Amino acid sequence: MNPLITDFRVHAPATPVIVALDFDNASTTLNFVRQLRPELCQLKIGKELFTASGRSLAESLINQGFKLFLDLKFHDIPNTVAAACKAAAQMGVWMVDMHASGGKRMMEAAADAVAHFSSPPLLIGVTVLTSMAQQDLAEVGVSCSIEEQVLRLASLAQQSGLNGVVSSAQEAELLKSRLGDDFVLVTPGIRLNTDNTQDDQRRIMTPKAALASGSHYLVIGRPITQAAAPAAVLSDINLGLL
Ligand code: C5P
């Protein structure tokens, strides 16, 4: 199906693409964003850019009309994560995430903290990073399969009142079948057939295949930000060509 006509229910953006703005300063970021429009993509600020340029850049992007995913992957005691999510909601972000491995009480506290906002951000739990393979998981003491661990953490996130999870698109079909259509699936680790590197990502998929597997949102960084013509790549993804 053409992603532009997919019904995304939650806050219903017209495009599944979230562009990861992994730049190290505000002026490079704002120059890059000039090529984009809010109808063509959502934007994501992560740890690098937020640490460098903080809240003022985030607010400037929101004021330009972009839906903003604040990807700071909170992981702390319940009180601290709840307060951080409340601050994100006050900033007007559209989506914010936390590590589901922080546990049920942490995620419930986060959900409670934003419940009274008229338009709360989507709360998303990070399951297993897309940069991790089975061996990486074993090294941190997790001996089950990646799929089992992703499903365990995603189920916990759902029970705790979160709106969805981050996983690789390789787990999207499984998550959709077990957790239902309304649980939001956000998938990084997207690479184009024309990309000749997977960089540090391990569990990768093309945009078309990821959407066919049930992903609602595709987080895409380097395949767009490092492209010779970023807007053209974005447009081809939106048209379902890549
Ligand atoms: O450049 P690339 O497409 O690999 O960027 C992926 C983006 O998604 C990065 O900003 C990374 O921090 C983020 N991300 C991820 N895996 C997760 C959650 C977020 O790669 N589980």
Side-chain angles (χ1 to χ4, degrees):
M1 189 193 304
N2 181 333
L4 279 177
I5 54 168
T6 304
D7 174 16
F8 284 106
R9 315 161 329 275
V10 191
H11 298 203
T15 158
V17 179
I18 302 173
V19 176
L21 298 171
D22 292 322
F23 299 111
D24 63 6
N25 67 80
S27 70
T28 308
T29 306
L30 291 169
N31 271 335
F32 176 81
V33 168
R34 258 179 226 122
Q35 308 169 69
L36 309 175
R37 291 202 315 275
E39 314 82 74
L40 301 180
C41 61
Q42 287 68 231
L43 299 178
K44 179 178 90 68
I45 287 190
K47 290 189 171 79
E48 178 186 16
L49 191 54
F50 196 77
T51 305
S53 298
R55 187 169 174 138
S56 64
L57 177 64
E59 286 176 342
S60 139
L61 297 171
I62 293 169
N63 289 338
Q64 289 182 41
F66 287 98
K67 288 185 168 21
L68 189 69
F69 174 14
L70 188 64
D71 175 26
L72 297 181
K73 299 187 183 69
F74 298 137
H75 192 170
D76 212 314
I77 59 171
N79 187 56
T80 301
V81 169
C85 287
K86 187 175 164 198
Q90 286 164 342
M91 208 193 298
V93 307
W94 161 71
M95 179 181 278
V96 63
D97 62 354
M98 68 205 74
H99 277 283
S101 55
K104 193 162 193 257
R105 282 189 297 118
M106 184 199 79
M107 292 187 278
E108 283 174 345
D112 282 351
V114 302
H116 66 283
F117 283 84
S118 57
S119 187
L122 292 169
L123 294 186
I124 301 295
V126 178
T127 57
V128 177
L129 295 170
T130 44
S131 56
M132 294 183 90
Q134 196 68 56
Q135 170 70 19
D136 302 296
L137 215 51
E139 282 169 7
V140 294
V142 178
S143 52
C144 64
S145 71
I146 287 183
E147 290 73 18
E148 273 177 85
Q149 182 68 357
V150 168
L151 184 58
R152 173 182 294 126
L153 291 172
S155 304
L156 193 65
Q158 190 175 48
Q159 289 158 25
S160 309
L162 265 53
N163 303 102
V165 286
V166 183
S167 73
S168 102
Q170 293 179 11
E171 294 98 40
E173 224 169 280
L174 170 71
L175 293 178
K176 206 180 183 73
S177 72
R178 302 293 281 273
L179 304 177
D181 282 350
D182 289 342
F183 198 55
V184 178
L185 303 180
V186 180
T187 62
I190 302 297
R191 288 296 177 271
L192 312 179
N193 277 331
T194 48
D195 288 333
N196 48 20
T197 170
Q198 61 183 50
D199 303 303
D200 51 349
Q201 299 287 12
R202 292 294 172 269
R203 303 187 338 272
I204 60 171
M205 227 186 237
T206 64
K208 218 170 164 172
L211 290 169
S213 301
S215 300
H216 295 105
Y217 295 105
L218 313 176
V219 174
I220 311 181
R222 287 160 287 188
I224 291 177
T225 57
Q226 309 294 314
V233 174
L234 177 59
S235 159
D236 283 352
I237 295 170
N238 278 329
L239 290 169
L241 301 175
L242 295 173

